[in-house]
Amino acid sequence: QVQLVESGGGLVQAGGSLRLSCAASGNFFSIDHMGWFRQAPGNQRTLIAFITSGGSTNYADSVKGRFTISMDNAKNTVYLHMNSLRPEDTAVYYCNANYLDFRRSRFDSWGQGTQVTVSS
């Protein structure tokens, strides 16, 4: 089972930057990919960026060009570098990991969420 611990959220002015981190720990065979989702009040949780263990990335149109996802495979940690933040980026950000256990069964794990608030 994989446990995810997120950090780095907070309050920032529009145009500012933040970096979120998510560290994975526990007993597992491998992590296939990790991603960041966000959920604003009254909205569904949506995927904004993910990265495979091989380094391939994909982004939602709303963050493309402003956010960058990266992963340190040695530390099992994924980062989300957020630049040019806008008030509409305000949300709770969740980390997700898709992994294989030692029986090669596939699971998803979620972090507890970290609040990002962008003031205008």
Side-chain angles (χ1 to χ4, degrees):
Q1 187 175 3
V2 169
Q3 293 81 43
L4 301 176
V5 177
E6 301 155 356
S7 60
L11 173 64
V12 64
Q13 287 189 331
S17 300
L18 282 175
R19 188 185 79 161
L20 305 182
S21 301
C22 174
S25 63
N27 294 316
F28 55 92
F29 176 72
S30 67
I31 292 177
D32 183 73
H33 59 268
M34 297 183 77
W36 288 96
F37 291 69
R38 69 185 181 188
Q39 186 171 19
N43 292 347
Q44 290 185 329
R45 188 177 300 186
T46 57
L47 175 66
I48 57 170
F50 79 83
I51 185 167
T52 69
S53 58
S56 298
T57 60
N58 203 354
Y59 299 91
D61 288 343
S62 58
V63 305
K64 200 171 293 184
R66 300 187 298 122
F67 291 9
T68 302
I69 189 170
S70 62
M71 186 159 68
D72 185 332
N73 288 326
K75 296 181 179 180
N76 291 319
T77 299
V78 65
Y79 304 95
L80 186 67
H81 302 260
M82 304 185 293
N83 297 318
S84 302
L85 283 161
R86 305 166 180 168
E88 53 264 38
D89 294 318
T90 295
V92 178
Y93 285 67
Y94 295 92
C95 174
N96 170 270
N98 182 270
Y99 67 96
L100 298 178
D101 69 4
F102 290 102
R103 298 182 179 179
R104 306 300 191 268
S105 296
R106 189 175 297 276
F107 295 92
D108 271 311
S109 184
W110 291 91
Q112 78 283 3
T114 185
Q115 177 71 45
V116 171
T117 303
V118 184
S119 62
S120 57

